Amino acid sequence: MADVALLTTSDGRPLAQALVQAQARARRRAFFLVLPLLLFVIFSFILPIGQMLHRSVYNDGFSASAPELGAWFAQNPASTPPDEAAFAALAADLANMQANRLAGEAGTRINYVIPETRSLFTRTARDAKNLTPPYQAALLAVDPKWGDPALWQAMRAASSAYTLDFYLVSADFQRTADGSIERVDENRQIYIALFVKTFILSAIITVLCLLIAFPVAHLLATLPMAKANLLMILVLLPFWTSLLVRTTSWMALLQGEGVINDLLVWIGAIAEDGRLRMINNQTGTIIVMTHILLPFMILPLYSVMKVIPPSYARAARSLGATSWTTFRRIYLPQTLPGVAAGSLLVFILAVGYYITPALVGGADGQLISNLIDFHMDRSNWSMAAALSAMLLVGVLILYWLYDRLVGIDRLKLG
Amino acid sequence: MQKSYDGVSLVVKDLNLTIAKGEFLTMLGPSGSGKTTCLMMLAGFETATSGEIRLDGRPINQVPPHKRGIGMVFQNYALFPHMTVGENLSFPLEVRGMSKSDREAKIKRALDMVQMGNFISRRPAQLSGGQQQRIALARALVFDPALVLMDEPLGALDKQLREHMQFEIKHLHDSLGITVVYVTHDQGEALTMSDRVAVFNDGRIQQLAPPADLYERPDNSFVAGFIGENNKLLGTIEDLNGDKALVRLRTGELIDATAVNIKEKGQQTLVSIRPERVEFKPEMMPQGAHTIDAEVVEMIYMGDILRAVLRVAGVDDFVMKMRNTLGQTKLTPGQKIKVGWHPQDARALDP
């Protein structure tokens, strides 16, 4: 308000200005204190993730080695069928690729969208410098596939380094000859199904962890100190053991000739020829991951249960509630922050888990991370990045849901 | 009734107690004296190692807590943090299968009873300590229990609020006609609220009596020392005639006392005298009472009273309280006086 005189300090400076000056030094100090951490986070987290996201939409494997074709695509609108000039540009580019040994790379880029085209490129490029006009006829003579409109559509899309093709493929979509987008055939859909399977398996693992961890955490929170400490060591012991050792010991336990099957046969629960298949399939992935992720559920639950005073349960009992009602209406609601935190933690870890499914998952126990790894092994960085980005988005959506339903400020991780 | 936690020692050694309907009984004692354990056995959270608990003539040892129908107020209130005040009060009624309209009527009545009618939709975390205490009280009363147990319910409140709540709880007790068993370690609380007080120590009831009896006629030296301020003089019984005892103090003086738990002549005794019953003016002392020499060590001005610390019979923390009346004699440190008391006020107890 205008009629309120500005407050000043005793030496006549405006108060707000004096305050800023007084605090500036402290603020500078605070900034320099966090600077190393800030740099660390930028270089070890923000930059790699940023680069991963960039890779998922950027691939110059084709565009860099096909400049002539790129120029032709730029001059002609999308619906133009390839004419002699286009084939001439293609032939020039193929010859150039062969000279610089780039045909494989360019073929790989197109191969993402149209399978089995990598060899088409390498094969054609090998003799490209011997092609003579008319190029259209010459190229079609080498392989009639060169006349495929879908291939031309794919090359047009790849002529720009920036593309959403990898996301399309990751979501089991493809470009048709006229440039529109459609689902791939049902028997070729792999990614979405694997995403769904990953989320379902993670949900099953989370629920199993919760069912096992809840009583354990309750016991930990209520036992006398000495016994609780012993139990806590038993809970943490797997934490201190190498992941590989734990997974391998599960292999020894679960395999066809393993300890559990031997025991079941010995007590006569199953027949010798009816040994259970508990490893190298989904069952193996579920059992081993549940065990490995269990501490991540127990610890948040324990930290929440530890601070629930026993007097609440006593109060409920004295007010006439049975022990079941007391559990359901008084105890359980108060453990919800721990349940939610543990579930979120286990689910997110499970969704991105790689090593255990790779070792014990067999063919049908693989998760999306194993497919990401598959693409990375073949240097298909853009494909791996697109899948990772989709996984990241899925996890962020879960996180958002958690915040809406429970509230992130109520998260207790131990 | 007896109670042991570890099978080696008894926490509650010998409890035999009848509580009348509508009575306000307080269990008073230092921490670890077994009073809370007794309350927990009544509520059903601890099992008696031996003995029987009866409610309305019915043995309830085997009855689980939720079927006992006993209301309970906890020290930390134990209001369910994830429920509103209304839901907290509704809980005991819901588990009894009461209809919604009945519940609402009862909740409203209970909240009005503790003057918290406007707080029905608040959460416990939004209430002050005193308000939470009222809600805890309302919740323990809302299902009309015949017996209400209170475990140091006012322990967490500040002094002024505590005194106010003492009055309110007492008032509720009177108007509702409920039976209250109240546990506290605050003797002032016990004296002001109770019909009877059970003083606990070492797993036993040391004395069970109305507040005035407890204060004026303690049965043993623990009760005398635990309740109120108290001068102690050690001596031996010189003569015993009925309940009149003549005690020779260690320094040789003779005093009159009332024998309480003294059996024979020559026995060691501890004579207990309340500071406010000590007199130093000859005209205030009864005829023929023995007086002994005293020297003023220190005078402490406390506003309503004057507190004289005296050296009497070799003890130099003997306290005499004098009312701060107009024209009260001024004593000065070093002054030699004679003090005495009515033989009824000097109680010869076990040493």
Side-chain angles (χ1 to χ4, degrees):
Chain A
M1 276 183 281
D3 56 337
V4 174
L6 272 176
L7 285 176
T8 58
T9 57
S10 55
D11 56 358
R13 286 183 305 157
L15 194 60
Q17 185 194 336
L19 184 69
V20 168
Q21 279 173 2
Q23 288 177 343
R25 204 178 128 82
R27 221 177 282 150
R28 260 200 310 277
R29 273 171 55 111
F31 177 74
F32 282 119
L33 275 174
V34 297
L35 192 61
L37 188 64
L38 190 67
L39 290 175
F40 179 78
V41 168
I42 287 174
F43 282 111
S44 67
F45 190 71
I46 295 175
L47 283 184
I49 289 203
Q51 205 194 5
M52 188 263 292
L53 290 173
H54 183 246
R55 283 264 180 136
S56 69
V57 292
Y58 180 86
N59 189 314
D60 61 358
F62 183 80
S63 59
S65 50
E68 304 277 335
L69 207 49
W72 184 84
F73 282 131
Q75 282 158 15
N76 298 279
S79 52
T80 323
D83 53 13
E84 178 58 24
F87 279 98
L90 175 62
D93 282 337
L94 281 169
N96 190 34
M97 282 175 201
Q98 178 62 19
N100 296 312
R101 304 188 169 280
L102 290 169
E105 212 175 299
T108 302
R109 167 67 185 85
I110 305 301
N111 201 63
Y112 290 133
V113 193
I114 299 180
E116 292 156 37
T117 41
R118 188 175 184 276
S119 62
L120 177 68
F121 272 84
T122 49
R123 222 163 0 96
T124 318
R126 218 170 288 141
D127 294 322
K129 62 175 185 290
N130 301 330
L131 290 171
T132 49
Y135 288 107
Q136 180 161 17
L139 279 163
L140 288 176
V142 175
D143 197 315
K145 267 193 193 168
W146 285 115
D148 183 0
L151 176 65
W152 280 91
Q153 195 55 51
M155 288 195 291
R156 176 182 284 276
S159 67
S160 156
Y162 286 95
T163 173
L164 287 174
D165 277 1
F166 303 110
Y167 285 99
L168 283 181
V169 175
S170 303
D172 287 333
F173 284 100
Q174 65 183 12
R175 281 184 202 281
T176 55
D178 58 357
S180 65
I181 291 164
E182 63 169 21
R183 288 226 88 136
V184 298
D185 299 338
E186 204 146 307
N187 56 2
R188 279 178 48 219
Q189 293 181 2
I190 44 170
Y191 297 106
I192 291 297
L194 196 53
F195 268 114
V196 169
K197 190 165 92 178
T198 301
F199 277 70
I200 288 176
L201 281 189
S202 300
I204 292 173
I205 289 163
T206 308
V207 170
L208 284 176
C209 275
L210 184 60
L211 290 179
I212 298 171
F214 200 93
V216 175
H218 180 72
L219 207 59
L220 268 174
T222 47
L223 274 181
M225 201 49 132
K227 284 179 188 162
N229 281 344
L230 187 69
L231 190 60
M232 185 59 113
I233 288 174
L234 291 180
V235 168
L236 291 178
L237 206 59
F239 246 1
W240 302 331
T241 319
S242 153
L243 183 66
L244 274 172
V245 172
R246 276 182 282 165
T247 309
T248 321
S249 52
W250 272 109
M251 288 167 147
L253 280 172
L254 294 177
Q255 60 186 284
E257 302 295 318
V259 178
I260 292 177
N261 266 319
D262 283 351
L263 196 69
L264 288 175
V265 170
W266 184 66
I267 64 169
I270 54 172
E272 179 61 49
D273 54 356
R275 285 176 178 261
L276 302 174
R277 263 186 55 92
M278 293 180 291
I279 202 153
N280 295 329
N281 56 12
Q282 279 189 20
T283 319
T285 303
I286 291 174
I287 293 177
V288 181
M289 278 180 67
T290 301
H291 169 246
I292 284 170
L293 295 176
L294 201 55
F296 295 100
M297 184 67 91
I298 293 179
L299 293 176
L301 276 176
Y302 166 73
S303 80
V304 170
M305 288 175 176
K306 187 78 188 159
V307 295
I308 300 175
S311 62
Y312 288 132
R314 289 188 160 181
R317 297 278 280 154
S318 79
L319 292 171
T322 59
S323 41
W324 167 242
T325 309
T326 304
F327 172 78
R328 191 173 52 85
R329 295 206 39 202
I330 305 302
Y331 193 71
L332 195 61
Q334 294 191 64
T335 62
L336 274 188
V339 171
S343 302
L344 190 72
L345 200 59
V346 168
F347 191 87
I348 289 178
L349 282 171
V351 156
Y353 229 69
Y354 156 68
I355 213 168
T356 303
L359 288 175
V360 300
D364 67 340
Q366 300 290 307
L367 302 183
I368 196 72
S369 309
N370 302 100
L371 201 62
I372 294 174
D373 172 63
F374 169 88
H375 282 297
M376 279 164 57
D377 272 355
R378 279 152 191 77
S379 297
N380 296 345
W381 294 107
S382 293
M383 206 48 224
L387 287 171
S388 304
M390 282 175 68
L391 193 58
L392 182 65
V393 169
V395 169
L396 287 177
I397 288 174
L398 277 175
Y399 190 79
W400 175 78
L401 272 177
Y402 177 90
D403 189 34
R404 290 295 301 270
L405 296 177
V406 184
I408 221 69
D409 50 332
R410 292 185 67 193
L411 190 71
K412 277 193 178 167
L413 291 178
Chain B
M1 196 165 62
Q2 291 185 315
K3 171 72 186 175
S4 173
Y5 280 111
D6 51 5
V8 178
S9 57
L10 286 166
V11 177
V12 175
K13 287 179 181 147
D14 176 22
L15 179 72
N16 195 351
L17 171 67
T18 310
I19 303 163
K21 210 170 176 61
E23 188 176 7
F24 196 119
L25 182 110
T26 299
M27 296 181 178
L28 174 69
S31 46
S33 60
K35 57 190 192 310
T36 300
T37 306
C38 285
L39 200 72
M40 290 303 160
M41 286 195 283
L42 262 178
F45 298 126
E46 301 285 355
T47 50
T49 312
S50 80
E52 196 175 53
I53 310 169
R54 263 179 288 195
L55 184 65
D56 275 340
R58 187 167 56 101
I60 56 168
N61 288 43
Q62 300 304 319
V63 178
H66 67 278
K67 288 190 181 149
R68 294 196 179 187
I70 297 174
M72 186 149 183
V73 182
F74 291 83
Q75 187 170 11
N76 57 2
Y77 320 130
L79 294 176
F80 306 136
H82 57 294
M83 296 183 181
T84 64
V85 166
E87 287 163 350
N88 262 285
L89 263 71
S90 173
F91 184 76
L93 307 177
E94 278 169 37
V95 298
R96 284 174 172 73
M98 199 174 277
S99 75
K100 193 164 189 291
S101 54
D102 287 357
R103 288 204 306 260
E104 278 168 2
K106 275 195 178 274
I107 292 167
K108 189 179 170 345
R109 210 192 57 197
L111 283 179
D112 287 344
M113 201 165 66
V114 293
Q115 291 117 49
M116 295 287 290
N118 298 329
F119 292 80
I120 189 158
S121 52
R122 296 271 191 101
R123 291 207 178 253
Q126 297 169 305
L127 302 177
S128 71
Q131 289 168 334
Q132 289 188 31
Q133 182 54 62
R134 283 161 194 264
I135 300 303
L137 204 58
R139 191 180 64 177
L141 295 171
V142 72
F143 60 100
D144 299 320
L147 173 62
V148 178
L149 309 178
M150 302 193 187
D151 185 11
E152 310 209 13
L154 307 179
L157 303 181
D158 61 55
K159 185 169 177 290
Q160 211 171 359
L161 199 55
R162 195 158 64 221
E163 283 167 5
H164 182 72
M165 286 301 293
Q166 285 171 12
F167 168 75
E168 285 204 20
I169 291 176
K170 186 67 189 149
H171 183 76
L172 277 174
H173 167 252
D174 290 343
S175 60
L176 297 175
I178 46 173
T179 312
V180 177
V181 177
Y182 192 99
V183 162
T184 183
H185 62 260
D186 181 335
Q187 42 162 306
E189 213 164 277
L191 294 179
T192 49
M193 298 174 78
S194 321
D195 295 328
R196 281 194 302 165
V197 179
V199 181
F200 272 71
N201 190 39
D202 199 19
R204 279 179 220 281
I205 295 183
Q206 302 291 332
Q207 187 171 359
L208 174 61
D213 280 3
L214 207 62
Y215 187 79
E216 287 164 29
R217 286 179 287 284
D219 274 351
N220 55 40
S221 52
F222 176 79
V223 177
F226 190 68
I227 310 244
E229 213 178 350
N230 174 44
N231 291 309
K232 297 182 203 115
L233 296 173
L234 271 169
T236 46
I237 303 289
E238 186 86 357
D239 190 22
L240 188 62
N241 180 13
D243 65 348
K244 287 190 170 53
L246 195 63
V247 178
R248 183 168 298 279
L249 300 180
R250 285 189 173 169
T251 43
E253 293 96 335
L254 273 176
I255 57 167
D256 295 307
T258 307
V260 181
N261 49 2
I262 293 301
K263 294 180 197 77
E264 55 192 21
K265 260 202 273 190
Q267 196 187 336
Q268 286 276 325
T269 183
L270 192 139
V271 181
S272 149
I273 310 136
R274 297 284 180 205
E276 67 273 18
R277 298 292 170 96
V278 179
E279 295 291 350
F280 69 102
K281 294 174 191 157
E283 68 271 19
M284 299 293 287
M285 289 182 222
Q287 283 291 311
H290 285 86
T291 59
I292 52 177
D293 293 324
E295 185 191 339
V296 180
V297 178
E298 194 181 5
M299 286 300 299
I300 300 165
Y301 181 82
M302 296 183 74
D304 54 345
I305 57 161
L306 301 169
R307 196 181 153 90
V309 182
L310 309 175
R311 183 172 298 122
V312 172
V315 182
D316 54 8
D317 57 356
F318 192 96
V319 176
M320 173 171 73
K321 284 185 186 166
M322 303 142 65
R323 282 174 62 217
N324 189 8
T325 51
L326 197 63
Q328 176 65 280
T329 316
K330 295 278 182 282
L331 298 177
T332 50
Q335 195 175 347
K336 300 267 201 279
I337 52 172
K338 275 192 179 296
V339 291
W341 46 81
H342 196 285
Q344 268 185 14
D345 291 329
R347 295 177 68 80
L349 307 166
D350 55 309

